[in-house]
C-alpha cells in the first residue's frame, strides 16, 4: 500500500476566495484521483490527475472551478476556486497501483 | 455511467454476530469491486476487494462474494467486534483496480452493540 498525506487537514475560508490542497504519496503510484465527500455522504469522483497533462474531469466538474496539477508521480494539487458555501465538503485524494488508497482528507468550510 | 446501490444504510448487530452488506451495480463492464471502511474524521481504508474473475475472497473475518450475472456483491463480517463499528462503502470501477476512478455506494453505518 501507499501512505498518502494531505495539506491542509482543514480550513475555513471566505466566499470568493480560492484554496489549494496538496496531496503527497510516499511512493510512486500509477494514477491519482480527487474526490469530494459532503458531510455524512458518499464519495464522488471529481477528476483523474494526469501526470504532465490536463486532468480528466467527471460530469459536473470543470477545470475553471477545480484546477488540478500533477507534476510528478507522487504529488498533486487541487484548487477550489471562487468558493461558495456549497463547496463546503471534505476533499480526498487517492493514489493507485493495483488498488486505490486514500488520504485523510481536507475538511473545507466556506463562510 | 455506473451506478452503485448499497443496502442497508444502517445495520445494528450484537457483538459476535455476523453482518452482511449488499451492493448492486449497473454496468456489466465493471470488473473491480473494493470495500472501504471509514472511521470518523479519517479517510476510507481499503479492507478487501474482488475482481470479476473471482467469485469469492476471504481475509480472516471478512469475506466478499461476487455474482456477475446478477451484478451483485456482498461484504460479510463474522464474529463482529466493537472496533468494526464504522461506515462501510462499496465501490465499482472498470479499470481493474488501478486505472479508473471509483463509483461508490451511499454507505452503511455498521453499529456493533456490546
Amino acid at each position: 500500500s501507499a501512505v498518502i498525506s494531505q495539506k491542509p487537514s482543514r480550513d475555513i475560508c471566505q466566499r470568493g476566495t480560492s484554496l489549494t490542497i496538496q496531496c503527497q504519496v510516499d511512493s510512486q503510484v500509477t494514477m491519482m484521483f480527487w474526490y469530494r465527500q459532503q458531510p455524512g455522504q458518499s464519495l464522488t469522483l471529481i477528476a483523474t490527475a494526469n501526470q504532465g497533462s490536463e486532468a480528466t474531469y467527471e460530469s459536473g466538474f470543470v477545470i475553471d472551478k477545480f484546477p488540478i496539477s500533477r507534476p510528478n508521480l507522487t504529488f498533486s494539487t487541487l484548487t477550489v476556486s471562487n468558493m461558495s458555501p456549497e463547496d463546503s465538503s471534505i476533499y480526498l485524494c487517492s493514489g493507485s497501483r493495483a488498488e486505490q488508497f486514500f488520504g485523510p482528507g481536507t475538511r473545507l468550510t466556506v463562510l | 455511467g455506473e451506478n452503485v446501490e448499497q443496502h442497508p444504510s444502517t445495520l445494528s448487530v450484537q457483538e459476535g454476530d455476523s453482518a452482511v452488506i449488499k451492493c448492486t451495480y449497473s454496468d456489466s463492464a465493471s470488473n473491480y469491486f473494493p470495500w472501504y471502511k471509514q472511521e470518523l474524521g479519517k479517510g476510507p481504508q481499503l479492507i478487501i476487494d474482488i475482481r470479476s474473475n473471482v467469485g469469492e475472497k476471504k481475509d480472516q473475518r471478512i469475506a466478499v462474494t461476487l455474482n456477475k450475472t446478477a451484478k451483485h456483491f456482498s461484504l460479510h463480517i463474522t464474529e463482529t467486534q466493537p472496533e468494526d463499528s464504522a461506515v462501510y462503502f462499496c465501490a465499482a470501477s472498470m479499470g481493474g483496480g488501478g486505472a479508473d476512478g471509483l463509483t461508490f455506494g451511499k454507505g452503511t453505518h455498521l453499529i456493533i452493540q456490546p
Side-chain angles (χ1 to χ4, degrees):
Chain A
S1 65
V3 176
I4 300 177
S5 59
Q6 288 184 231
K7 288 194 293 187
S9 58
R10 60 177 62 232
D11 208 342
I12 301 173
C13 301
Q14 296 297 319
R15 70 171 66 208
T17 63
S18 298
L19 176 72
T20 296
I21 302 167
Q22 298 180 3
C23 177
Q24 179 73 55
V25 191
D26 69 342
S27 55
Q28 291 184 359
V29 290
T30 307
M31 306 291 288
M32 294 183 75
F33 304 92
W34 286 95
Y35 293 80
R36 182 171 71 184
Q37 184 177 29
Q38 295 179 314
Q41 303 295 318
S42 186
L43 288 80
T44 300
L45 180 65
I46 297 172
T48 302
N50 299 310
Q51 187 204 354
S53 65
E54 193 171 287
T56 304
Y57 290 84
E58 298 299 306
S59 176
F61 298 96
V62 295
I63 187 171
D64 290 346
K65 178 66 175 178
F66 298 102
I68 289 170
S69 76
R70 188 184 174 193
N72 57 50
L73 291 174
T74 62
F75 185 79
S76 178
T77 66
L78 167 75
T79 299
V80 186
S81 303
N82 188 25
M83 289 183 286
S84 67
E86 292 70 37
D87 295 320
S88 296
S89 193
I90 300 169
Y91 293 86
L92 296 130
C93 76
S94 71
S96 71
R97 300 190 194 101
E99 298 87 23
Q100 202 164 130
F101 300 95
F102 284 82
T106 296
R107 183 178 295 271
L108 172 62
T109 303
V110 184
L111 302 178
Chain B
E2 176 64 280
N3 182 53
V4 177
E5 299 283 341
Q6 182 172 347
H7 299 281
S9 56
T10 303
L11 178 60
S12 181
V13 302
Q14 291 292 320
E15 182 178 351
D17 288 350
S18 296
V20 180
I21 303 170
K22 299 181 179 182
C23 289
T24 59
Y25 60 99
S26 61
D27 196 325
S28 57
S30 289
N31 57 16
Y32 176 67
F33 308 93
W35 286 88
Y36 289 87
K37 175 183 181 182
Q38 188 174 32
E39 297 174 317
L40 197 62
K42 298 184 179 180
Q45 175 192 4
L46 179 68
I47 57 171
I48 196 167
D49 59 7
I50 192 166
R51 288 174 169 80
S52 59
N53 58 346
V54 176
E56 183 173 358
K57 184 177 178 180
K58 188 174 182 180
D59 182 3
Q60 299 182 12
R61 297 187 296 110
I62 295 173
V64 57
T65 59
L66 171 65
N67 183 328
K68 288 186 294 182
T69 302
K71 295 185 210 167
H72 173 273
F73 59 112
S74 299
L75 176 71
H76 304 252
I77 305 174
T78 59
E79 301 173 13
T80 53
Q81 301 169 4
E83 54 264 36
D84 294 329
S85 294
V87 179
Y88 291 80
F89 290 98
C90 63
S93 83
M94 302 176 209
D100 283 350
L102 299 169
T103 300
F104 282 83
K106 292 189 181 301
T108 296
H109 186 192
L110 177 62
I111 302 165
I112 308 301
Q113 303 278 6

